[in-house]
Amino acid sequence: MAKKPEEFKIRISNPHEVVWEGTAVALSSENAQGKFDVLSQHANFITIIKGKPITLHFADGSSKDYKFSRAVIYNRNNQVFVHTQI
């Protein structure tokens, strides 16, 4: 039996509100160096996303895309924060 992917916390916000908050099994996007995925227990990092989709992947197999003109994604202690402009 395949091991169930581990979920981690994600929070997407702009200066005025929380856009989305919950758990997912992966976050995918693309920065200047190329495509990347963040999974549970990912190493701490920070990156800037410009005009590329940020995709959240959920335990039930579904996914949801967000697209912002600019966003900063950082991962610390198994929590991912996405800060966007309006």
Side-chain angles (χ1 to χ4, degrees):
M1 181 179 236
K3 183 180 175 186
K4 181 181 173 184
E6 188 177 332
E7 294 181 310
F8 57 95
K9 294 180 182 179
I10 299 174
R11 180 183 178 119
I12 302 173
S13 63
N14 64 41
H16 301 289
E17 67 181 339
V18 173
V19 176
W20 186 88
E21 186 170 25
T23 60
V25 297
L27 178 147
S28 302
S29 193
E30 185 175 351
N31 61 17
Q33 286 73 44
K35 294 180 179 181
F36 66 89
D37 298 306
V38 177
L39 304 173
S40 179
Q41 305 303 322
H42 193 284
N44 293 347
F45 84 108
I46 187 168
T47 190
I48 295 173
I49 306 300
K50 294 182 181 177
K52 299 292 184 180
I54 297 169
T55 304
L56 306 180
H57 304 277
F58 303 106
D60 67 2
S62 66
S63 62
K64 181 162 179 66
D65 288 335
Y66 290 90
K67 192 168 182 183
F68 307 103
S69 59
R70 182 180 165 111
V72 175
I73 297 175
Y74 69 95
N75 176 58
R76 193 179 97 204
N77 299 327
N78 210 37
Q79 295 184 56
V80 175
F81 301 90
V82 180
H83 294 289
T84 70
Q85 298 175 340
I86 294 180

